[in-house]
Amino acid sequence: TPGLAGSASFTVSANCVNRVGSQAYTLTVPLACNTSKTYIHDVQGSGATSPMVGMKVELEGIVTGSYQSKTTGLGGFYMQEADANWDNNPLTSEGIFVYDNAFGVPVTTGDRVRVQGTVDEFGTTSTLTELGSVGGVLVCDSGNSFTISPITLPVSTLSVFEQYEGMAVIFPQQMVVTSTYEEGSYGSVDLSPNSRLYTPTAVVGPG
């Protein structure tokens, strides 16, 4: 497991012939870029939930979208593994949402950032793998590009979306807005590849 930034305290004691003494020390390891880290695809895993839930990790990647405001945004940002560090498994996502909860370090799209936090699954029946309980954010550099992955609808099964969780994606086809129910709360809308989707009772009588 890669070493993590943080502080550790220890005491050195000595028992000599004519004197006994001890001295307490604190060793601080700062958050640093370009050092050992955990890869985002390892956090995501190839299943519906992360195999590392509850573990404290350090991630480093490119910010693909910043929504840090807790009043008008999502209280965090999306980051994606640098292209050179992607694995060869199409089932493991290379992106993740970081819920920094107003930690205080502003980031913008294209920043390469180092983040320390705890892996969590947000939600109940359908969960979102995210990094929470953030203990450190460090901007390494800016102006970085990142891959935007194409998704064509319809997909064969909804589980296909799991491999893109948290990643920057594009739908290279004309889409139709079919619902705006969550736009005010989460900034999200529902899209359909063909036409607006209706509930059955919106077009025919019940029974």
Side-chain angles (χ1 to χ4, degrees), residues 178 195-203:
T178 190
S195 60
R196 182 179 175 185
L197 301 178
Y198 294 91
T199 57
T201 54
V203 293

Side-chain angles (χ1 to χ4, degrees), residues 2-206:
L4 299 176
S7 299
S9 299
F10 58 95
T11 301
V12 177
S13 300
N15 191 341
C16 302
V17 175
N18 57 355
R19 176 173 294 184
V20 176
S22 63
Q23 177 65 50
Y25 298 90
T26 299
L27 176 65
T28 300
V29 179
L31 197 64
C33 301
N34 301 314
T35 56
S36 297
K37 65 170 186 174
T38 300
Y39 291 104
I40 294 175
H41 50 251
D42 290 333
V43 171
Q44 287 284 7
S46 58
T49 57
S50 171
M52 302 178 68
V53 171
M55 295 180 62
K56 182 181 288 188
V57 298
E58 286 185 17
L59 306 178
E60 189 171 306
I62 313 302
V63 176
T64 58
S66 181
Y67 312 94
Q68 291 178 282
S69 172
K70 293 188 66 177
T71 55
T72 60
L74 303 175
F77 56 91
Y78 286 93
M79 63 185 294
Q80 188 167 286
E81 195 71 49
D83 291 358
N85 294 330
W86 285 28
D87 66 2
N88 294 318
N89 186 351
L91 298 180
T92 56
S93 168
E94 298 290 347
I96 195 169
F97 181 70
V98 178
Y99 181 63
D100 69 353
N101 197 23
F103 183 78
V105 179
V107 301
T108 59
T109 300
D111 286 350
R112 181 168 61 93
V113 299
R114 183 83 172 204
V115 185
Q116 183 189 91
T118 302
V119 180
D120 185 32
E121 290 288 338
F122 175 76
T124 53
T125 55
S126 179
T127 63
L128 170 71
T129 302
E130 66 178 22
L131 197 68
S133 301
V134 171
V137 178
L138 177 65
V139 177
C140 306
D141 50 46
S142 303
N144 296 280
S145 60
F146 51 86
T147 291
I148 302 176
S149 301
I151 303 177
T152 301
L153 299 179
V155 293
S156 58
T157 174
L158 291 178
S159 61
V160 169
F161 291 121
E162 182 67 30
Q163 67 195 64
Y164 298 104
E165 183 182 58
M167 295 177 63
V169 300
I170 185 172
F171 296 97
Q173 63 193 111
Q174 182 171 306
M175 307 290 287
V176 176
V177 176
T178 190
S179 173
T180 58
Y181 181 76
E182 293 187 342
E183 184 177 15
S185 300
Y186 300 103
S188 64
V189 297
D190 294 339
L191 302 175
S192 169
N194 298 311
S195 60
R196 182 179 175 185
L197 301 178
Y198 294 91
T199 57
T201 54
V203 293
V204 297

